Amino acid sequence: MPQHLSTNATFVSVTGPPQSVVADLLFIPVFGTDDRIEDAASVDAATGGELARAIAAGEFRAKLHETLVAAVVGSGWRARKVVFVGAGLRGEADAERVRRIAATCGYLARQRRVASAAFLVRGLRPSMVADGLSAAE
């Protein structure tokens, strides 16, 4: 008989630098391979250059729903792992796309059975992100 995980998700909004977020997984949407993630500029260094390496090798193209999981190896970041999530082009990030991107993150967090996950909103509407994350329950 399959076991079902019972979860009661709690969404908490915080304001502060992404380095200070304490979570097992920190999801960061990436809008195309030329997105420099200025709002979390030190994230590539914190992951040992994993994003730049994966983009250069063609392993991560920031296509919609594509993910790249990278361990945090540098100091100064409190999340255990960062998940870069392909979000397509920023100009195409309408309400439905934002919900689906967030749902992808929620499903991955459930699949990995993490105790905590966070989503760096990066200018997206937080209510749409919350809708998508809750759809993954």
Side-chain angles (χ1 to χ4, degrees), residues 64-65 95-105 107 128 132:
L64 195 56
H65 308 293
E96 185 58 27
R97 178 169 286 188
V98 172
R99 286 184 193 103
R100 289 178 186 234
I101 292 165
T104 296
C105 298
Y107 292 132
M128 292 180 210

Side-chain angles (χ1 to χ4, degrees), residues 43-134:
V43 70
D44 196 41
T47 60
E50 187 60 16
L51 179 61
R53 186 207 59 75
I55 288 173
E59 294 174 21
F60 182 75
R61 298 181 305 267
K63 289 189 174 190
L64 195 56
H65 308 293
E66 181 180 29
T67 59
L68 172 69
V69 180
V72 173
V73 295
S75 63
W77 281 71
R78 298 183 68 195
R80 285 190 336 104
K81 293 184 180 180
V82 172
V83 182
F84 300 101
V85 182
L89 299 176
R90 185 177 286 279
E92 296 174 1
D94 62 7
E96 185 58 27
R97 178 169 286 188
V98 172
R99 286 184 193 103
R100 289 178 186 234
I101 292 165
T104 296
C105 298
Y107 292 132
L108 183 63
R110 281 182 56 99
Q111 180 184 40
R112 290 180 171 255
R113 292 181 160 86
V114 296
S116 61
F119 188 103
L120 184 61
V121 177
R122 303 200 65 217
L124 302 174
R125 292 198 49 197
S127 61
M128 292 180 210
V129 172
D131 284 348
L133 290 170
S134 65

